[in-house]
Amino acid sequence: MPLEQTGAVVVGLDPSAHARAALHWAAKEAALRDSVLRIGHAWSLSAYDLPGPHPLYDAPRARAAAQDFVDRAAAEARAGHPRLKVEALLLDVNAVDGLLHLAESADLLVVGSRGVNAFVKLLLGSVSEGVVAFSPVPTVLVTVEEEPAAAGAPVVVGVGADGAAPLEFAFAAAERRGTRLEAVRALLRPRHLPGYLSIPPIDHRGHDGAERAEVERLVEEAHRAHPAVGFRVRVGPGLPEELLLDASTHASLLVVGGHHRHGRFGPSTGRVAKVAMHMSRAPVAILPRS
């Protein structure tokens, strides 16, 4: 299906509560960006409650039910954002391939993160794992939380060695929301984290100062394009994923860099991104990295 290069916000839809939360988040984000919201739904022969014969024997009715499902979702998005342009599309392939195709003409891809249980959430092969591993654009995972972020909650970004792209994305997100930015970097210390390669304890003070100076330099460079956004730099000992998960409890959005690579058992998103996408209390944006 050829698609116009619109810079759209694409959201994957299924009947789950997490996908519904993703729809609401994506609609708000598209409105903030003044972009098209493109809803993609991979339909199934057996996903809809149809009366009469089993839907496996009635593909036209199942497809019609799928179209009705996605059209109702589009109407719901328009009701919350009357000026928003919404497109509702049925995907005739699996969800991962279909959403990745839509992402080729988009600026952002949004999916729900299903919270079945801690073990199932970490299995490879889920829709969220697949799209994050291969998406050409930033991907946001949205989960259902009992306590949403407070108004004005900051955008939190993990600042790694390639901090420029995540910082630019995070500053732009904070500016659209009228909130501040919190930049986080973890310092690995051998006394607390045995097995990690680090520097001798005697050099910690100088190394910590150099790390903070580097983060501050990267933040200041990104801040020039978004001078109205206030920011805070947080550098401290620990694992990166631990600091980011802690910060996610008071964030409106968590931004991290990801990986596009293949390991022995399939696509890998990197340790920090993988932990964040499954355990963050806030929606998490994972940026593609070649």
Side-chain angles (χ1 to χ4, degrees):
M1 74 185 95
L3 294 169
E4 181 183 355
Q5 298 291 327
T6 60
V9 173
V10 169
V11 59
L13 183 68
D14 64 30
S16 72
H18 292 277
R20 185 67 60 182
L23 172 67
H24 294 164
W25 193 96
K28 182 177 181 180
E29 181 69 15
L32 287 173
R33 292 170 176 250
D34 194 23
S35 298
V36 173
L37 175 67
R38 189 168 286 152
I39 305 171
H41 172 56
W43 72 287
S44 166
L45 287 172
S46 58
Y48 315 99
D49 186 15
L50 298 177
H54 195 280
L56 285 176
Y57 304 102
D58 196 345
R61 276 206 313 156
R63 199 177 197 284
Q67 188 66 61
D68 179 66
F69 172 70
V70 74
D71 286 343
R72 283 187 282 110
E76 185 177 331
R78 293 188 191 100
H81 307 275
R83 296 184 179 181
L84 183 63
K85 181 179 179 182
V86 184
E87 299 173 0
L89 302 173
L90 286 187
L91 307 177
D92 293 317
V93 294
N94 66 75
V96 173
D97 289 343
L99 292 174
L100 290 176
H101 174 72
L102 295 183
E104 292 174 1
S105 60
D107 283 344
L108 189 70
L109 176 58
V110 183
V111 293
S113 177
R114 289 195 180 108
V116 181
N117 59 54
F119 175 72
V120 174
K121 283 164 63 177
L122 291 172
L123 289 177
L124 293 175
S126 68
V127 172
S128 58
E129 188 86 19
V131 297
V132 168
F134 295 107
S135 175
V137 297
T139 302
V140 175
L141 279 81
V142 181
T143 189
V144 177
E145 294 293 346
E146 294 181 2
E147 297 182 7
V155 172
V156 174
V157 55
V159 184
D162 58 345
L167 276 168
E168 169 55 32
F169 183 94
F171 264 114
E175 187 169 55
R176 282 191 292 270
R177 288 160 175 75
T179 189
R180 65 193 189 283
L181 177 139
E182 184 173 321
V184 177
R185 176 176 287 187
L187 302 172
L188 298 181
R189 295 199 173 161
R191 288 177 297 181
H192 301 291
L193 304 170
Y196 281 82
L197 180 63
S198 186
I199 56 175
I202 193 171
D203 295 333
H204 278 164
R205 182 174 299 178
H207 183 263
D208 290 1
E211 290 272 358
R212 174 173 285 277
E214 180 184 1
V215 175
E216 289 176 347
R217 176 183 61 79
L218 290 169
V219 172
E220 289 285 359
E221 289 176 356
H223 182 246
R224 292 177 193 144
H226 308 275
V229 178
F231 65 86
R232 170 194 175 198
V233 173
R234 178 182 170 192
V235 177
L239 289 171
E241 55 267 40
E242 290 177 346
L243 267 65
L244 290 172
L245 291 178
D246 177 66
S248 77
T249 61
H250 64 267
S252 59
L253 178 67
L254 176 62
V255 181
V256 298
H259 290 284
H260 282 186
R261 67 187 185 193
H262 275 75
R264 294 178 58 191
F265 304 105
S268 172
T269 57
R271 186 189 77 248
V272 175
K274 187 176 183 69
V275 172
M277 67 187 280
H278 292 300
M279 300 184 69
S280 173
R281 295 292 301 276
V284 55
I286 302 175
L287 272 63
R289 182 192 300 168
S290 57

